[in-house]
Amino acid sequence: MPQPLQISVPETSLSSGDKPYTLYHVQLTLPIRIHETSKRYSDFVDLHAALVSQTGLPPPATLPPKTWLRRTVGNPTLTESRRHDLEVYLRAIVDTEDNRWRASSAWRSFLNLPGGGGDLNNNSNGRTKQAMGVPQGMITDPAQWLDVHRDVRTQIHNARGLLKKREGAQTAQEQHAVSAEAKASLVRAAAGIARLEDSLTALSRKKGDDDDDDDDDDGGWGGNAKLGDGEIRRRKDLIGTSKKEIESLESSLKALIVKNAGSMLNGSSGGAAATSADKEALWKGTGAASSSSSSSNGQRPQRSGRVLGGSFKETDRTRELNNTGVLQLQKQVMAEQEQDVLEIGKAVSRMKEMGIMINEELVVQNQMLDLTEQDVDRVGGKIAVAKKKIDKIS
């Protein structure tokens, strides 16, 4: 029987920063999509320790050992060998019939899958990241921070699509189901934003001691990887943009719910049941009440004045209508007005989406301008140094 999941480590890359380290791109093939995340060797070490701690047994494959005298950076042979061994290690966990390792929270947290409890940071060797001051669920790697941000953007995109789907829903049950899904996506996105904010604060203030081995660098806490001020500002801008979109989508969802409730109220009897006397007065002279009263005395039923619209100025549309016709006309007018409101709402939604896209483009352009300004400053500094050298020569 084939396994429903496939896992691999197809490639590696180097991180950006003053001291680069090797990132291993873990690719998990799910039934409907491919989930990819980047991990460093120290993350695999933490995973192994957490799996042993939670299950009581080591995984079926052996984790490749550390190299104390060599680094994978600048060594393609060692990098490829470790990539292959790590792929064998992960595949052994996926292919084994015993699912105790796959069912652990450490495994799900390592792959950034839903339901991961963040227990990956809990080791049994006395070097837990909680003991190092890292709160539960905190993001410990700048690359993992970007993965979580991509998940937040995915949730926002899903919520926006669900809101569009809700506008086309025909039944109240379908509208309620779609609204619940959209609300759940927004809640998950908001939780991710809060996690990103807390982790970014820690990433900006934590910096460890230098170390010659890249495998012991854990990228933020206890390591030497530290985000620069420009990168911190960029990531804060990303968080701010996502928060604004979440607030906008929540407002749109509340507006849709209120509009739906108002439509249901207009289509009902106003919440108060009509009495028999009200019904008889309403239909007097046009329906069953007039027929029953005239049949009892054997006389021809007499048409009385209209109850609806009698005291108002007649129009061409209402002059020839009785009570029933006026009611039908009123319902038709209300339906037309509601349709007009829906069309206006769709137009406003399209304008709002265009505004969001323009805002995103402005953010990108501002980032490009910042980079250009930094390049100009750097080139200006080089020119100044060159001028000084020329002055000395001359």
Side-chain angles (χ1 to χ4, degrees):
M1 179 178 179
Q3 294 292 333
L5 301 178
Q6 296 180 359
I7 195 167
S8 62
V9 186
E11 58 183 357
T12 63
S13 64
L14 291 179
S15 66
S16 59
D18 297 336
K19 185 179 180 182
Y21 52 87
T22 303
L23 288 173
Y24 301 90
H25 299 275
V26 181
Q27 191 175 88
L28 181 65
T29 303
L30 301 174
I32 59 175
R33 67 185 182 96
I34 296 178
H35 178 76
E36 184 173 344
T37 182
S38 300
K39 299 294 180 180
R40 58 191 310 169
Y41 177 76
S42 59
D43 296 327
F44 285 88
V45 175
D46 292 340
L47 170 66
H48 184 80
L51 290 177
V52 174
S53 175
Q54 293 182 11
T55 63
L57 289 175
T62 304
L63 185 71
K66 288 185 177 181
T67 55
W68 297 101
L69 301 179
R70 294 185 299 170
R71 300 184 63 197
T72 56
V73 177
N75 192 335
T77 303
L78 179 60
T79 301
E80 177 60 23
S81 176
R82 177 170 288 177
R83 182 203 65 79
H84 176 269
D85 294 342
L86 292 176
E87 185 176 76
V88 172
Y89 175 81
L90 295 177
R91 285 182 176 177
I93 297 176
V94 171
D95 295 339
T96 183
E97 295 182 357
D98 191 348
N99 67 342
R100 68 178 69 186
W101 297 283
R102 296 192 300 272
S104 64
S105 60
W107 175 259
R108 302 186 66 84
S109 178
F110 175 79
L111 296 176
N112 296 332
L113 296 176
D119 295 334
L120 179 59
N121 296 333
N122 296 332
N123 300 337
S124 59
N125 56 3
R127 294 181 64 249
T128 65
K129 292 185 177 180
Q130 287 182 351
M132 299 168 65
V134 181
Q136 184 77 6
M138 189 71 71
I139 302 172
T140 61
D141 189 350
Q144 184 183 0
W145 192 98
L146 294 177
D147 291 337
V148 176
H149 178 262
R150 281 193 292 269
D151 293 338
V152 170
R153 298 298 308 173
T154 300
Q155 295 295 339
I156 294 175
H157 178 74
N158 292 340
R160 184 178 292 111
L162 289 170
L163 288 181
K164 293 182 180 179
K165 181 179 179 181
R166 189 190 186 282
E167 292 179 358
Q170 300 297 329
T171 62
Q173 291 80 3
E174 185 178 357
Q175 290 179 353
H176 177 73
V178 175
S179 298
E181 294 179 8
K183 184 63 177 177
S185 297
L186 292 176
V187 169
R188 287 191 290 268
I193 288 294
R195 185 183 177 195
L196 290 175
E197 288 182 323
D198 295 340
S199 301
L200 186 60
T201 302
L203 281 172
S204 62
R205 69 169 183 264
K206 294 292 183 179
K207 183 175 182 180
D209 300 330
D210 293 337
D211 195 342
D212 293 335
D213 187 8
D214 67 314
D215 296 332
D216 291 335
D217 182 7
D218 62 0
W221 289 277
N224 59 2
K226 180 178 181 295
L227 297 178
D229 295 337
E231 181 65 15
I232 291 294
R233 288 195 299 268
R234 187 184 75 86
R235 298 194 180 194
K236 286 183 178 180
D237 291 339
L238 294 177
I239 292 176
T241 302
S242 298
K243 290 176 68 174
K244 291 180 180 178
E245 293 187 31
I246 292 175
E247 293 174 357
S248 176
L249 291 174
E250 288 180 345
S251 300
S252 300
L253 180 60
K254 292 179 180 178
L256 287 174
I257 294 175
V258 172
K259 183 178 69 176
N260 182 60
S263 300
M264 294 178 62
L265 181 60
N266 292 335
S268 64
S269 61
T275 63
S276 58
D278 295 334
K279 295 179 180 179
E280 184 177 355
L282 179 63
W283 299 107
K284 186 176 181 180
T286 61
S290 178
S291 299
S292 60
S293 61
S294 60
S295 60
S296 61
N297 53 19
Q299 297 180 356
R300 182 178 178 179
Q302 300 293 327
R303 176 180 175 86
S304 61
R306 251 196 291 113
V307 177
L308 294 179
S311 60
F312 294 94
K313 183 178 179 180
E314 292 285 358
T315 64
D316 294 337
R317 302 180 67 180
T318 61
R319 184 172 290 109
E320 301 299 331
L321 299 177
N322 56 11
N323 288 336
T324 305
V326 173
L327 284 174
Q328 293 177 351
L329 177 61
Q330 181 66 17
K331 291 181 180 179
Q332 180 182 353
V333 172
M334 292 175 63
E336 293 174 355
Q337 292 176 348
E338 185 173 357
Q339 185 64 29
D340 293 339
V341 172
L342 292 177
E343 294 297 331
I344 295 175
K346 292 179 180 179
V348 172
S349 299
R350 289 192 295 268
M351 294 178 63
K352 179 184 65 178
E353 293 174 1
M354 293 177 60
I356 293 174
M357 294 176 63
I358 293 173
N359 180 68
E360 293 178 349
E361 183 64 23
L362 289 176
V363 172
V364 174
Q365 295 294 335
N366 288 332
Q367 294 173 1
M368 295 177 65
L369 290 175
D370 292 338
L371 293 176
T372 304
E373 185 178 356
Q374 294 175 6
D375 293 339
V376 171
D377 293 339
R378 183 167 58 254
V379 173
K382 292 182 178 179
I383 293 175
V385 173
K387 287 183 178 180
K388 292 181 180 179
K389 292 182 178 180
I390 292 174
D391 293 339
K392 290 182 180 180
I393 294 174
S394 60

